[in-house]
Amino acid sequence: MILGVGVFIERSIAQFLVFADETLITALSKISSNKSGFLCVIEESGHAVGILTDGDIRRWMIEGDSIDINARVSEIANTNFTSLPADTPAEKIQANFSDRIRAIPLVDGYGRVVAIALSGPKQIVIGDRRIGAEHPCFIIAEIGNNHQGSLDLAIQLVDLAADAGADCAKFQMRDMTTLYRDGGRADDPSQDLGAQYTLDLLARFSLEQDDMFRAFDHCRKRGLEPMCTPWDLPSLEALERYGMPAYKVASADLTNHDLLLALIATGKPMICSTGMASESEIKEAVKLLQAGGSPFCLLHTNSTYPAPYKDINLRYLDRLAEIGGCPVGYSGHERGWEVPIAAVARGACVVEKHFTVDRGLEGNDHKVSLLPDEMAAMVAGIRAVEESLGSNAARVITQGEIMNREVLAKSLHAVEDIAEGTRITDAMVVVQSPGQGLQPNRRGELIGRIAQRAIKAGSPFFPTDLDDETAAARPYSFDRPWGIPVRWHDYRKMLDATNLDLLEYHLSYKDMEVDLADWFTEVLDIDYVVHAPELFAGDHILDLTSADDAYRAHSIREMQRVIDVTRALKPWHAKAGTPLIVTNVGGFSTARALPVSARAELLARLEDSLSKLDREGVEIIPQTMPPYPWHFGGQSYHNLFMDPDEIVDFCSRNAMRVCLDISHSQLACNAFQWSMLEFCEKVAPYTAHMHIVDAKGVDGEGLQIGEGNIDFAAIARVVSERCPQASFIPEIWQGHKNDGHGFWLALARLEQWFGTADRNADQARKVA
């Protein structure tokens, strides 16, 4: 029951109660579960004896000599609390709230707790889905009576709604005898033409109660929340017997206060359409809903079939939210799916659209319904808008922008050779492209500083040139073979800088056209790995999974060229065994992620492509991938080598190993809410080589060690046990710049987890 801004009554109180003699550990579990930060402490009789908040628990822990998680709740609870009779007027309840009081037990005439008054926004929860501004839009596929009275068609529509990405499939239930005079006879000559037409459709296109329940059961099997609109009290009683989790109130019943009161009495969440109602009628309904205490949402609706765009007035969503003091949404009867997407941009937390397999079927609703591909397009559009809304936090440069700024922007470059120890003057600095160095707006910070390194004419200045100390290459000690990524032009300089075990050659398609004798004059006493290009001549992005046979054949030919170059490199590397080829094998999409069901076909085509390659003397190791990879300044969707179980199955089936890209896999875990530790435990035994680099969010890849959210200590323990021989490189984005500064900094930081000295010390502790 919403009493004012952020104050409501909760009558489903079991989640907020704890008995006085229960333990602290029980209370902590309940507080964590109800996400409210408090519990009402009661005796066996149901009388309130205290309030327990997370703040009370912290104070008890700080003030006590020791912490006993089995302590009784009564020893910790605040017994100086406010309670009020359950019939206290709304205004008086609201007046008792303060910064200190945010929960008030309401008691009956015997002093037993029967409700809780709470401060804060009322949450609407339907099944495992939460509705509100901070949660994804709840998308309802309104099947209504579009099943034409057929259970088979109803189940087909549920399946199609699930495939399209809807959250809920909604139906309608009527008891014709109760709802209409004369039992709803379609042949009643006294009925108006419109009513007679509707009665005829309802008589022919209604599902039997048991069939309706079977359709609800199928919703749950497909991961959808079932919902139904009861048009009368007998229908509501039947739905209650079934266990309907929430109810939709039709626009036609917003003024039917008797039905509203019956729905409120269930305590279930209610989604109420406001079509055909005046503002005064909406306010009357809101007053009734607020007094009843059930969580509710109001849907802005124009009940015309189809609704003209000029009559929709999406700006009314703002006013509706003020009137209801609740989440708002949109139920659309217009043609197309553009308006619901716009409604989400204006704050709609729920979207409802009619759904059919054929707009030519008999019945008014079909004409304003979306077809399956249109529903999928609407869902995709809504999800894209939600993702794009972001927040009003301070603007930061995104990972994609960082990449493009390096190519398109300008930076500060040296006009002449500058010796180490020289004071930098304005005449020594020019603004030029590309933007790989210090941004031009930092010119004033650079002028007058003493150069900490020798800077060649034409090379960029870097942010490290503003620091008094910089990272430099030195010998490193790791518990496994290691190296850094290089190109033909800089491998010699990197090799001379430190004690590498291997070089990972990152090839471009132009690099594959060179004569190796032009770059190698002696055999190197080192191992090597090759990283295959993703982009080849003619804007061809490698995809060994493509459904286009010609495109896939082209990719196979290009991959064979990579294999040939890799074999040609072997005579130049004295410590080479079977060289590894790291590759992104493909499986990306540009419009949206593919359904999980499509992955088997992609993997089958990949296996076919691999069978066509001459892999003698090399080992191809697909790299684990992020969900939203960056492809040359733009973002795509990846569909393969993200799921650890799929990776394990693929490797086992094909006797292959992978390159475990720590950054990519952390992004996948962040996106899909997986455990990165469990991911590594599964994939590490199939890992031949690793790319170790930090990550943040769902697409922030290639970050410097310590600038993301990866727990390197935990990962180091797993890979030490499960793939102790796997080699690695620090694949820091643009780590090669400034003579490899990013790599040297990363290696220095990684030594604390992967260093030999630390590993030996750890082993010694275990032995001791």
Side-chain angles (χ1 to χ4, degrees), residues 244-545:
M244 185 57 52
Y247 291 107
K248 171 72 195 304
V249 178
S251 291
D253 275 322
L254 194 69
T255 57
N256 184 355
H257 291 183
D258 289 342
L259 182 59
L260 276 184
L261 287 170
L263 284 161
I264 290 168
T266 69
K268 305 286 181 62
M270 298 164 61
I271 297 178
C272 308
S273 283
T274 60
M276 302 186 290
S278 67
E279 185 164 299
S280 63
E281 291 170 335
I282 294 171
K283 289 179 177 178
E284 286 179 355
V286 166
K287 187 175 181 180
L288 202 66
L289 291 163
Q290 288 178 339
S294 290
F296 68 95
C297 169
L298 297 178
L299 301 190
H300 176 47
T301 314
N302 185 284
S303 298
T304 314
Y305 299 78
Y309 293 128
K310 68 179 181 63
D311 293 340
I312 289 173
N313 188 21
L314 285 181
R315 289 190 175 91
Y316 192 72
L317 280 165
D318 299 340
R319 185 165 178 81
L320 191 63
E322 293 176 4
I323 293 170
C326 65
V328 295
Y330 178 71
S331 178
H333 302 112
E334 70 291 327
R335 294 182 177 91
W337 65 89
E338 298 85 356
V339 172
I341 295 174
V344 172
R346 290 200 65 87
C349 302
V350 175
V351 159
E352 178 186 56
K353 280 289 284 186
H354 287 265
F355 187 54
T356 187
V357 292
D358 183 354
R359 276 194 285 266
L361 291 173
E362 187 178 2
N364 266 345
D365 286 352
H366 292 287
K367 297 176 177 59
V368 296
S369 295
L370 297 182
L371 297 172
D373 60 337
E374 295 170 333
M375 177 65 76
M378 184 191 77
V379 171
I382 287 172
R383 299 306 180 215
V385 165
E386 286 177 327
E387 193 172 354
S388 68
L389 286 174
S391 71
N392 61 358
R395 193 184 193 283
V396 297
I397 305 173
T398 66
Q399 188 71 14
E401 288 180 312
I402 290 171
M403 293 170 147
N404 282 336
R405 184 158 89 162
E406 298 227 345
V407 176
L408 302 173
K410 300 176 178 66
S411 59
L412 301 176
H413 288 70
V415 175
E416 59 192 58
D417 288 344
I418 302 174
E420 182 178 348
T422 302
R423 186 174 298 279
I424 300 170
T425 67
D426 190 68
M428 297 175 181
V429 182
V430 65
V431 176
Q432 290 180 327
S433 287
Q436 295 178 346
L438 199 61
Q439 289 294 294
N441 62 327
R442 306 193 71 180
R443 184 172 190 147
E445 298 175 61
L446 180 66
I447 303 306
R449 292 194 65 86
I450 303 299
Q452 301 296 310
R453 62 185 179 96
I455 305 169
K456 292 184 178 180
S459 63
F461 293 94
F462 297 103
T464 52
D465 289 316
L466 301 179
D467 298 331
D468 293 328
E469 295 183 10
T470 60
R474 60 168 173 78
Y476 301 94
S477 178
F478 292 102
D479 64 352
R480 62 188 63 244
W482 65 279
I484 57 173
V486 296
R487 300 284 302 281
W488 299 145
H489 67 86
D490 64 0
Y491 82 84
R492 184 77 257 180
K493 178 171 61 177
M494 297 300 186
L495 185 58
D496 292 340
T498 186
N499 57 324
L500 301 172
D501 296 309
L502 61 90
L503 295 169
E504 183 174 309
Y505 296 103
H506 281 220
L507 301 185
S508 71
Y509 68 87
K510 296 297 289 183
D511 290 339
M512 294 169 56
E513 299 170 0
V514 305
D515 183 344
L516 293 180
D518 291 339
W519 292 99
F520 293 90
T521 58
E522 61 179 340
V523 176
L524 307 178
D525 189 29
I526 199 169
D527 198 355
Y528 74 104
V529 175
V530 167
H531 195 308
E534 291 187 358
L535 179 68
F536 291 84
D539 285 343
H540 181 89
I541 298 178
L542 186 79
D543 189 358
L544 298 174
T545 75

Side-chain angles (χ1 to χ4, degrees), residues 724-738:
Q725 302 304 314
S727 53
F728 83 91
I729 64 161
E731 200 184 29
I732 309 300
W733 167 250
Q734 297 292 21
H736 65 280
K737 294 193 305 184
N738 194 7

Side-chain angles (χ1 to χ4, degrees), residues 553-601:
H554 187 176
S555 291
I556 292 171
R557 289 193 298 272
E558 296 290 10
M559 192 67 210
Q560 189 62 61
R561 291 180 60 219
V562 175
I563 293 171
D564 295 341
V565 170
T566 302
R567 283 196 286 244
L569 278 166
K570 187 168 184 177
W572 298 102
H573 297 81
K575 293 185 177 179
T578 300
L580 305 174
I581 303 177
V582 178
T583 182
N584 173 7
V585 296
F588 58 88
S589 50
T590 55
R592 63 183 64 89
L594 300 178
V596 173
S597 59
R599 295 179 186 171
E601 190 174 347

